[in-house]
Amino acid sequence: QTDDVNFYLQNISELTTALGIVDGFVQSVTKRLQANTNNSDSMMQIVSEASVNANLYLRENQRSNTTAMITAGGWVEGMHFITNMAVKTQKKEIIGLVAGQKNVLKNLIKMLEKIKSDPEVTAILVDIKDISALYDSLKPTQEVAVASADKDIKSIGNNKSYNLSNDQLKSLLEKVEALRN
């Protein structure tokens, strides 16, 4: 998937330049990613480090609005990917991941509302709240904490999950694609 990696690296370079993030940083990350294209664990580590470093750079330069917009954009892009996959495969596990974004979305909205004085944030917040309205209609199903067969580990948290009907999933995909576009 070298072509895909190169495509994403080119886009990352263009976006970080547009955001005013130091070019040397991008070049360093790009070289490391290209050197590790056959090692997915290394690539994940590099991407994770780059994300943390970019976030620190933006915070140190009082650019929390940019950080919030990047976070929102990342969420939208991730939702676009996973929602498309859920519609195509109809796999219960993937649909469950999409439904589970309900709680993530609540936190994203809280973060964006703190800086809604920014007109760009306000515009995106309207669309994200529209997506949230669809999630608000989902009713939780309580699951029992179960110990793993090979380890004595139980799930942590409220053990709630949400079910998405096929119509809700398609509606969610439409809303995410509209926002993404």
Side-chain angles (χ1 to χ4, degrees), residues 4 11 14 48 53-54 74 115 130 134-135 154 157 169 172 179:
D4 288 342
N11 282 307
E14 290 172 11
S48 179
N53 289 336
I115 54 172
D130 185 41
L134 189 144
Y135 274 107
K154 292 194 177 198
L169 185 60
L172 183 59
L179 176 55

Side-chain angles (χ1 to χ4, degrees), residues 4 15 19 27-28 32 37 45 48 56-57 74 77 85 87 97 119 135 150 174-176 178:
D4 288 342
L15 288 170
L19 291 169
Q27 289 174 351
S28 168
R32 288 179 63 202
T37 55
Q45 180 64 31
S48 179
L56 287 172
Y57 172 83
E77 191 64 23
M85 186 184 297
V87 167
L97 290 173
Y135 274 107
D150 56 309
E174 290 171 7
K175 290 176 183 292
V176 167

Side-chain angles (χ1 to χ4, degrees), residues 79-99:
M79 281 295 293
H80 169 74
F81 177 77
I82 197 163
T83 307
N84 269 298
M85 186 184 297
V87 167
K88 287 177 186 170
T89 66
Q90 290 296 306
K91 289 186 177 179
K92 184 179 177 181
E93 300 83 16
I94 298 172
I95 294 171
L97 290 173
V98 173

Side-chain angles (χ1 to χ4, degrees), residues 10 31 62 75 90 92 99 107 112 134 144 155 161 177-178:
Q10 178 183 348
K31 285 179 185 175
Q62 286 79 40
W75 182 84
Q90 290 296 306
K92 184 179 177 181
N107 290 329
L112 292 172
L134 189 144
V144 179
S155 57
S161 64
E177 285 186 341

Side-chain angles (χ1 to χ4, degrees), residues 29-44 46:
V29 170
T30 300
K31 285 179 185 175
R32 288 179 63 202
L33 286 170
Q34 287 172 333
N36 289 282
T37 55
N38 293 326
N39 186 335
S40 60
D41 289 340
S42 292
M43 289 186 73
M44 290 299 292
I46 294 165

Side-chain angles (χ1 to χ4, degrees), residues 55 66-76 108 111:
N55 190 24
T66 303
T67 301
M69 294 294 281
I70 289 171
T71 302
W75 182 84
V76 170
L108 178 61
M111 179 184 69

